[in-house]
Amino acid sequence: MPSPALVRRKEPEKFDLTAWEHESIERILKVTLNKDVAEKTSYDIVWLKYLAEEINEEGLAIERLDAEVIDRVLFARLSIEPQRTDDLEYMTVLASLPPQQTAFEYLIGCWKRLNATRAAFIKKGHPPLGTQNGLELLEKIRHLVVSYAGLTLQEPEMFTQPEGRVVGAQELVGPLLSLSALSAPLLSAPSASPNTLTPSDIEQFLQDLTRRFEPDNELDSVLGPVVRGLLFHESLFRPEGLGGGDAGWRGVISGLEVLVSIKSIATMITRMEEWNPPNVTAFNFEAKSLLGPLVRLGVFPREWPGIAQMYFSEPEKRTRNDIESSFASLRGTLKSLQASLFQIFNTIVRASPDAREAVLQYFARIISLNVKRAGMQVDPNTVSSDGFMVNILSVLLRFAEPFMDANYTKMDRVDPLFFANSSRINIKEETRIKATSEEATQWEDEHRNPSAQAPNFISEIFFLTIAASHFGYLKTISTYNSLAKLLEDIQRHLEWLEGDGSWMGSPLQARTEAAIRQAKLERDKVRAHQFAFEAGLVEPEHVYRSIGFISFLSTWLIRQVDPTRKHPNPLVELPLPVDVPMGFRVLPEFIVEDIVDTLHFFVQASPDKFDLSGKVEMLIFALTFLTSTWYIKNPFLKSKINDILFMSIWGYGREKNGVLGNLLNTHPLALKHLMPALMNFYIEVEQTGASSQFYDKFSARSIFYVLQSVWNNPSHRQTLNAEAQKVDQFVRFINLMINDVTYLMDESLSELTQIHNIQTEMDDKDAWNAQPQEYRRERENTLRSLERHASGYITLGRSTVEMLKMFTAEIKAPFMVPEIVDRLAAMLDYNLVALAGPKYQELKVREPEKLRFNPKALLADLLQVFANLGEQPEFIQGMARDGRSYSKDLFDRASEIALRARIKSEKEIEQLQILVAKVEEAKVVLEAEEDLGEVPDEFLDPLMFSVMRDPIMLPSSRTILDRATIKSHLLSDPKDPFNRAPLILEDVIPCPELKARIDEFIVQRRRESKARETEARMDLS
């Protein structure tokens, strides 16, 4: 075979470094010292005539540009003054300069050509030494170009600039704003310009600036003005805010994201004075701090009234789908903003330890400036805005997510001694859960460790989030809730204006119509504001994160009181130990308050969000502190915990049992502790220690709805029977139930009578129209007020009677104790008189369903209570002793009404009549036994005016009364009724001598009565 032909290797192209240097400098800087070169390019390459002459005068023979002259060449190019000159030869050069080009634009052009040259050079694959030398030259050019670019950002006037152009820091702000595709209106120049930074250029250019200026600590002065120009951009102060078609704020976000992605710049931003400006108020902090204008963007109407006007105008005419569409649009925008804000803060935190500390100080400063937001009456001009505070919380909630895993594995990393060892959040003026300020100070002093390390980041974020929620989000919720009251007032005023229409056709018509129009406009405005608040407060992802954090917080709080410190693995044992740990007692009360208020709001506003998580934690939190109420001092907080259970059984959507309805019937802790927890709380709420105690207790009676919701569960009824064995406690519960039925029924039936009377008066048209208009309006207002009050009383009263019906069907004995049975019988008889007595027609009102008044159902429940207890001898005796309301005629009328209304069967009525017959028999016997004639005053109970059977003396007032009387009194009030001194039953002093005298007196009088009866019978015979 012939031998293969030899392949001659191609010799590598010889690299002429000197020539390449000259060509590269000429191409990158677009300059030359040779007039002929400039002419050949039509002066696109600028002839530096005066520099060439200067070099010649120095005796230097420079035929080619090289590294030695780069600085002089670049400075000469930047120093060209394009105005007219007497040098006719040079006029062509000046005329050919790019029109209106700034020094920064020229340098950006150089920088971009430099990058292109470098890429092409590397691709050529020159020998290593040549490559090294070439790259060194390019880096020198880069160093000079970036240096002059930085200088022109700081001091644009150092070189001649075209008139009418914005120069300096704003030349970099523009490209930064262009990074968002949605911020096109902010662009100041076409992105395709070879002298403009495009989105793909910006990060590399910023990296080059950082490498050049950071080592000399000059980054602040170079990029500080750029950061200010970006973050105080006018697009952030436009009245439409997040709404409207101009999304300029997105450009600010995108620009800032690129800036902070470079760690040196992120750290530099936190060094700027405006990052956390001194000597500012909470109100202007968000305008004067660097991130303030961006963070304050939102949807809340005080700062952004245009949002409500744009998205929710004429709310009465909007369909629900229309409203939901507006919600979706606003919430999508808000979600995008909040996600970007977190990304920015998170990137800064990760930039350096100093930057992380600066971010934590920033959050803490916001909290310290806004302590006033937690007050009852807050001047909005003294605190930060709702949008600002809600967005800050959103950022903090996202920071908290990594340590809130489902199994709570990182919970112990939260430092329980945070407030002792950190001054980040000042709580000295805050009320504690169950400690005085002196106790709190002593505890902190005992646990403060000067040598301890600073709290970890998890602890910092955990407690900052709690505080941000308390001073921010929850105050915004409070403002939103106040709008409902305002709307109710406006609606009431509107109804008052409209009245009965008698103003029509009168001289007052025009004025009244104008007032009605104004009221409707105000109503629409408030309703639009409500929608705007809803858009911001219940953005779904924010709600999920809030529920997640509150679940974590409530679990952490229970772990602090769990003796094993392991809750929820395993679950805490209830009830808690009697001794409350001081570490728990000294915590700020607002921790518990925030859990309660947040759950309170979300259970009403977003119950469906609990479908994913939060139900179990909410239930365990409520049961823990309702079974161990002594752990919390504030009675109103305890009442709110009870309210959470109540609201959590409200149906929503397709879930008829509410958030917790199903869990209350299945969770082991609920099956074991719900009944005792509710009953104990029901008893405790009797004494709140507040001046409004008498009325406050009725707001806590909602426990009956919770009890009703679980009544059909045998496990709960079994627990109830077990509780009934604790006789003293259960009797107190029954006593309070009777008190409530008495009060609620009396109030509701009384107000129904007043409503009936006013409606009857209005039905007589002639007489009504003859009354003065002011009188008619006053009566109409009274009627509306009565209807509002009556509706609440009727609903709660009916619920309490239903619970009494259920309890008496299940348990009898506790209702039969002497201190209960007479009051129970008297209360039932009294209410039966109202429903079936001679005046029951006075309860007839128009539209009773509007008042939730169902007299038939109420009568049926009442009669069922009688039936439930009808076989109990003590109850029969109690009815017989009721000389105020009981009568056979009353029960005959009630039976007739029940049969006619078909609310009771004939068999049930027969049972009722048997009860009445037994009562009548007992009444005869009782009357015969109790005919004692004249009774000495010392034998009479001073409160009941009945003969004492077991006299005792009260230890402080030294008053003597019957044991049954004081037992009944102490069920409701643990104080001496004569001097209000504290009193318990064990302290009363028996009076055996007086008892013996009373017993002897009764025996003697009965003996005398019997003798008279015998004598009378003998006379008859």
Side-chain angles (χ1 to χ4, degrees):
M1 290 181 64
S3 59
L6 294 175
V7 178
R8 181 173 295 180
R9 295 180 61 188
K10 185 178 180 181
E11 291 292 329
E13 185 178 339
K14 190 174 181 181
F15 177 55
D16 185 344
L17 178 63
T18 304
W20 179 85
E21 281 184 341
H22 173 76
E23 293 169 3
S24 296
I25 295 171
E26 195 173 75
R27 180 171 58 255
I28 292 169
L29 302 183
K30 284 199 171 184
V31 292
T32 182
L33 298 177
N34 189 321
K35 180 181 178 182
D36 294 340
V37 172
E39 286 179 343
K40 288 178 183 177
T41 62
S42 300
Y43 294 99
D44 179 49
I45 293 179
V46 176
W47 175 36
L48 300 178
K49 175 184 177 182
Y50 303 117
L51 177 60
E53 292 174 350
E54 183 180 315
I55 288 174
N56 286 331
E57 289 173 1
E58 293 173 4
L60 300 174
I62 299 179
E63 297 181 1
R64 294 186 175 186
L65 299 174
D66 58 25
E68 299 300 323
V69 296
I70 296 175
D71 195 357
R72 295 181 68 180
V73 167
L74 183 55
F75 185 80
R77 170 62 182 85
L78 288 168
S79 300
I80 293 177
E81 298 184 7
Q83 60 265 35
R84 292 183 180 179
T85 177
D86 294 334
D87 187 342
L88 296 178
E89 183 183 34
Y90 207 57
M91 286 180 64
T92 305
V93 174
L94 297 180
S96 300
L97 291 174
Q100 291 293 99
Q101 186 182 69
T102 67
F104 184 75
E105 286 174 336
Y106 164 71
L107 290 165
I108 292 301
C110 294
W111 180 82
K112 294 177 77 169
R113 290 188 292 273
L114 168 70
N115 291 334
T117 300
R118 186 177 187 278
F121 176 70
I122 292 174
K123 194 175 182 180
K124 287 283 188 182
H126 294 298
L129 182 61
T131 299
Q132 180 182 342
N133 292 333
L135 290 177
E136 287 176 357
L137 172 74
L138 294 177
E139 284 308 306
K140 183 172 183 178
I141 298 174
R142 184 184 303 277
H143 180 83
L144 288 170
V145 168
V146 172
S147 295
Y148 280 115
L151 291 174
T152 58
L153 288 174
Q154 292 180 76
E155 300 178 38
E157 64 281 357
M158 70 181 298
F159 298 114
T160 302
Q161 303 279 11
E163 293 184 7
R165 289 293 307 275
V166 174
V167 294
Q170 289 301 319
E171 293 189 84
L172 184 51
V173 171
L176 288 169
L177 289 170
S178 73
L179 288 170
S180 170
L182 298 175
S183 61
L186 297 176
L187 300 184
S188 57
S191 60
S193 168
N195 301 312
T196 302
L197 289 169
T198 64
S200 59
D201 297 327
I202 292 174
E203 184 173 356
Q204 185 184 349
F205 180 71
L206 291 173
Q207 293 279 12
D208 286 352
L209 275 177
T210 303
R211 277 192 295 270
R212 166 60 185 86
F213 290 102
E214 184 187 16
D216 298 329
N217 294 318
E218 295 175 321
L219 198 59
D220 302 54
S221 55
V222 172
L223 286 179
V226 175
V227 172
R228 292 185 191 95
L230 179 70
L231 295 180
F232 294 122
H233 192 265
E234 57 88 19
S235 65
L236 301 179
F237 297 90
R238 293 172 184 166
E240 60 269 24
L242 294 176
D246 184 355
W249 60 272
R250 293 184 186 273
V252 178
I253 287 278
S254 299
L256 183 57
E257 285 176 336
V258 170
L259 285 171
V260 300
S261 68
I262 300 169
K263 292 184 176 182
S264 300
I265 299 178
T267 304
M268 183 244 5
I269 289 175
T270 63
R271 288 197 302 266
M272 296 174 65
E273 185 176 83
E274 296 94 335
W275 168 258
N276 195 348
N279 306 318
V280 294
T281 64
F283 181 72
N284 59 28
F285 182 84
E286 60 190 67
K288 293 189 175 181
S289 65
L290 281 177
L291 290 180
L294 197 56
V295 177
R296 71 185 289 270
L297 291 173
V299 298
F300 300 110
R302 177 174 174 80
E303 302 82 44
W304 309 102
I307 296 287
Q309 294 167 9
M310 185 185 309
Y311 287 86
F312 304 111
S313 60
E314 298 184 318
E316 299 297 321
K317 298 179 181 178
R318 298 286 185 99
T319 65
R320 190 63 207 178
N321 285 341
D322 188 14
I323 295 294
E324 290 295 338
S325 175
S326 295
F327 279 159
S329 176
L330 282 174
R331 288 170 180 169
T333 304
L334 194 61
K335 174 182 170 182
S336 173
L337 170 68
Q338 292 173 346
S340 296
L341 289 175
F342 168 68
Q343 189 59 44
I344 288 165
F345 277 106
N346 189 38
T347 306
I348 295 174
V349 160
R350 295 171 183 276
S352 68
D354 288 345
R356 185 177 76 171
E357 175 61 21
V359 170
L360 293 173
Q361 288 177 359
Y362 179 81
F363 291 143
R365 179 82 184 287
I366 291 168
I367 290 164
S368 67
L369 287 173
N370 283 283
V371 171
K372 287 183 180 178
R373 275 180 62 95
M376 294 294 292
Q377 300 294 329
V378 183
D379 179 358
N381 294 318
T382 63
V383 294
S384 296
S385 66
D386 289 322
F388 182 82
M389 297 302 290
V390 169
N391 287 338
I392 287 295
L393 176 63
S394 171
V395 170
L396 285 164
L397 286 172
R398 284 174 163 86
F399 270 121
E401 280 188 315
F403 61 79
M404 298 192 305
D405 60 292
N407 294 319
Y408 303 108
T409 59
K410 299 180 181 178
M411 180 168 283
D412 285 337
R413 295 187 64 187
V414 175
D415 185 2
L417 301 179
F418 178 84
F419 290 116
N421 291 316
S422 173
S423 59
R424 186 83 71 192
I425 303 170
N426 186 350
I427 60 167
K428 289 195 178 297
E429 301 300 319
E430 296 296 335
T431 303
R432 308 307 173 100
I433 292 176
K434 198 179 180 178
T436 64
S437 56
E438 292 77 14
E439 288 173 326
T441 301
Q442 181 182 348
W443 180 86
E444 288 168 7
D445 290 342
E446 291 172 355
H447 290 83
R448 185 174 294 113
N449 182 1
S451 62
Q453 290 184 344
N456 58 47
F457 189 68
I458 288 177
S459 299
E460 298 270 20
I461 292 298
F462 178 73
F463 288 103
L464 284 168
T465 306
I466 295 171
S469 175
H470 179 66
F471 296 112
Y473 190 70
L474 290 170
K475 182 59 184 178
T476 305
I477 289 174
S478 175
T479 304
Y480 165 71
N481 289 337
S482 69
L483 290 177
K485 177 67 170 62
L486 178 58
L487 193 63
E488 185 180 320
D489 291 342
I490 293 171
Q491 189 61 39
R492 194 176 301 127
H493 177 62
L494 188 56
E495 290 173 359
W496 179 82
L497 287 171
E498 292 172 337
D500 59 0
S502 58
W503 46 267
M504 298 181 70
S506 73
L508 295 174
Q509 179 169 343
R511 184 187 302 176
T512 305
E513 287 177 342
I516 289 172
R517 283 194 300 272
Q518 184 59 39
K520 287 183 177 179
L521 287 173
E522 190 63 24
R523 179 193 63 191
D524 288 352
K525 179 181 176 182
V526 173
R527 192 72 190 98
H529 283 190
Q530 280 184 313
F531 284 136
F533 268 95
E534 289 169 25
L537 285 173
V538 289
E539 190 278 313
E541 286 201 14
H542 181 87
V543 175
Y544 285 127
R545 287 190 178 92
S546 293
I547 290 174
F549 182 79
I550 288 299
S551 297
F552 184 89
L553 173 57
S554 65
T555 304
W556 178 85
L557 196 65
I558 294 172
R559 184 173 288 192
Q560 305 315 299
V561 295
D562 178 9
T564 70
R565 288 296 181 103
K566 293 181 179 179
H567 175 77
N569 301 306
L571 290 177
V572 65
E573 285 286 332
L574 299 180
L576 296 171
V578 174
D579 292 333
V580 184
M582 185 58 74
F584 174 82
R585 291 172 56 191
V586 301
L587 288 172
E589 186 181 81
F590 67 66
I591 291 181
V592 180
E593 184 182 359
D594 292 357
I595 295 171
V596 172
D597 287 347
T598 304
L599 292 174
H600 209 273
F601 177 66
F602 288 144
V603 166
Q604 296 175 85
S606 294
D608 57 306
K609 303 303 182 293
F610 286 92
D611 291 344
L612 292 181
S613 65
K615 289 183 184 181
V616 172
E617 290 82 359
M618 177 165 60
L619 174 64
I620 294 174
F621 171 78
L623 289 176
T624 298
F625 293 107
L626 286 179
T627 57
S628 310
T629 53
W630 61 92
Y631 271 66
I632 298 174
K633 183 179 179 182
N634 187 334
F636 304 106
L637 271 183
K638 296 183 233 186
S639 184
K640 279 188 174 182
I641 295 173
N642 175 68
D643 287 344
I644 292 170
L645 285 181
F646 168 52
M647 290 183 292
S648 70
I649 61 171
W650 294 357
Y652 64 91
R654 296 182 178 179
E655 182 50 78
K656 64 179 182 179
N657 296 323
V659 175
L660 289 183
N662 296 326
L663 210 56
L664 290 175
N665 280 303
T666 56
H667 195 281
L669 277 185
L671 295 177
K672 183 177 180 181
H673 296 290
L674 180 64
M675 280 286 181
L678 293 178
M679 287 191 288
N680 290 340
F681 176 72
Y682 184 61
I683 293 169
E684 181 180 318
V685 80
E686 180 74 17
Q687 296 294 329
T688 64
S691 59
S692 58
Q693 162 195 322
F694 184 73
Y695 298 99
D696 290 334
K697 70 176 185 177
F698 287 98
S699 69
R701 274 16 187 194
S702 55
I703 71 162
F704 289 125
Y705 295 104
V706 181
L707 289 173
Q708 283 174 325
S709 73
V710 300
W711 187 257
N712 291 328
N713 188 320
S715 296
H716 282 301
R717 291 207 304 277
Q718 185 179 349
T719 306
L720 175 67
N721 279 282
E723 285 298 303
Q725 302 307 308
K726 304 171 186 175
V727 177
D728 290 344
Q729 182 85 344
F730 200 75
V731 167
R732 287 191 68 194
F733 175 78
I734 291 170
N735 176 69
L736 294 174
M737 191 190 305
I738 294 171
N739 289 350
D740 282 355
V741 172
T742 302
Y743 175 81
L744 293 167
M745 292 294 293
D746 199 43
E747 287 295 309
S748 57
L749 297 178
S750 170
E751 294 197 347
L752 281 169
T753 300
Q754 295 179 66
I755 291 169
H756 168 82
N757 293 338
I758 294 176
Q759 289 179 343
T760 302
E761 181 184 1
M762 295 171 70
D763 286 341
D764 187 347
K765 298 297 182 184
D766 293 337
W768 178 254
N769 291 330
Q771 296 286 356
Q773 183 179 12
E774 191 62 33
Y775 172 82
R776 295 199 304 270
R777 285 190 170 180
E778 182 181 335
R779 295 292 279 168
E780 287 169 351
N781 284 340
T782 301
L783 177 62
R784 281 191 287 271
S785 177
L786 286 169
E787 288 174 341
R788 282 194 303 275
H789 292 157
S791 176
Y793 283 129
I794 289 167
T795 303
L796 196 49
R798 170 74 195 285
S799 172
T800 314
V801 172
E802 285 181 353
M803 187 53 54
L804 186 62
K805 177 187 73 174
M806 292 188 291
F807 271 53
T808 54
E810 187 74 19
I811 302 168
K812 307 289 192 294
F815 291 92
M816 298 301 108
V817 297
E819 57 267 34
I820 291 292
V821 70
D822 284 359
R823 294 183 57 245
L824 174 61
M827 180 273 291
L828 293 171
D829 291 339
Y830 177 78
N831 285 301
L832 191 62
V833 170
L835 291 171
K839 295 184 178 181
Y840 81 94
Q841 293 289 347
E842 292 181 3
L843 300 180
K844 285 191 174 181
V845 294
R846 290 197 295 268
E847 301 180 282
E849 63 280 355
K850 186 172 80 171
L851 303 176
R852 303 189 180 111
F853 179 49
N854 187 341
K856 293 179 182 179
L858 193 55
L859 178 60
D861 286 346
L862 209 57
L863 292 176
Q864 189 59 48
V865 177
F866 281 107
N868 291 343
L869 301 175
E871 295 183 359
Q872 306 300 311
E874 298 90 344
F875 183 65
I876 293 169
Q877 291 291 323
M879 289 180 66
R881 285 191 290 268
D882 179 20
R884 176 188 179 193
S885 303
Y886 169 80
S887 73
K888 183 177 182 300
D889 290 344
L890 170 64
F891 278 83
D892 289 343
R893 283 196 302 272
S895 299
E896 182 184 338
I897 294 171
L899 282 172
R900 190 170 61 244
R902 297 181 180 180
I903 57 176
K904 290 294 176 184
S905 67
E906 290 187 5
K907 185 176 180 180
E908 289 173 313
I909 295 301
E910 285 177 11
Q911 293 297 317
L912 191 63
Q913 290 172 343
I914 292 172
L915 168 63
V916 172
K918 290 178 180 178
V919 173
E920 290 294 310
E921 291 175 7
K923 193 174 177 185
V924 171
V925 175
L926 193 63
E927 288 173 353
E929 288 183 352
E930 296 302 320
D931 185 13
L932 300 177
E934 187 82 18
V935 180
D937 287 346
E938 64 175 322
F939 294 172
L940 293 175
D941 183 284
L943 292 179
M944 304 304 293
F945 299 103
S946 57
V947 177
M948 295 184 287
R949 298 305 177 96
D950 185 5
I952 53 90
M953 178 184 290
L954 303 183
S956 59
S957 66
R958 315 301 291 179
T959 305
I960 295 174
L961 71 169
D962 201 18
R963 183 182 296 272
T965 301
I966 197 61
K967 281 180 74 175
S968 179
H969 170 81
L970 290 176
L971 290 174
S972 303
D973 187 356
K975 293 179 180 176
D976 186 318
F978 298 96
N979 65 4
R980 308 303 298 154
L983 177 66
I984 58 174
L985 188 62
E986 288 74 11
D987 291 340
V988 302
I989 305 165
C991 301
E993 294 180 1
L994 179 59
K995 182 179 187 305
R997 290 167 55 204
I998 292 172
D999 290 344
E1000 183 181 348
F1001 169 79
I1002 292 172
V1003 169
Q1004 178 63 30
R1005 285 298 173 91
R1006 285 179 178 172
R1007 188 181 298 127
E1008 292 172 357
S1009 176
K1010 188 173 291 187
R1012 285 195 298 272
E1013 289 178 7
T1014 303
E1015 185 179 343
R1017 282 198 298 271
M1018 289 177 67
D1019 290 343
L1020 287 173
S1021 62

